Amino acid sequence: MDLKFKEKIDSLVSEVAAIPDLMTKIAVLNYIQQETGFLLWQLEDEQRIDEDSRDY
């Protein structure tokens, strides 16, 4: 993993951990989980398309 990405992720995690309100923290983490789930789905779809194109 690129060090710049790791630093950004670590910074974001630290920022979320510092949120004092539990409900806000939960909402932020749920949103991050939703967005990363969608991104993962897109990447898996791109990977399947790439693999399918190599089969021909």
Side-chain angles (χ1 to χ4, degrees):
M1 178 186 321
D2 187 312
L3 182 60
K4 289 181 183 181
F5 286 121
K6 184 183 180 317
E7 290 171 350
K8 289 178 183 182
I9 292 168
D10 290 346
S11 176
L12 179 60
V13 169
S14 295
E15 190 173 336
V16 171
I19 296 172
D21 180 64
L22 181 60
M23 296 309 292
T24 302
K25 188 183 293 189
I26 290 169
V28 169
L29 290 172
N30 283 335
Y31 179 74
I32 291 171
Q33 185 177 26
Q34 175 187 346
E35 292 300 304
T36 55
F38 180 70
L39 180 58
L40 181 59
W41 174 80
Q42 285 181 316
L43 292 172
E44 289 171 345
D45 194 45
E46 287 177 22
Q47 185 177 25
R48 279 190 295 274
I49 291 169
D50 185 55
E51 289 171 357
D52 288 347
S53 69
R54 292 179 190 183
D55 290 341
Y56 293 106

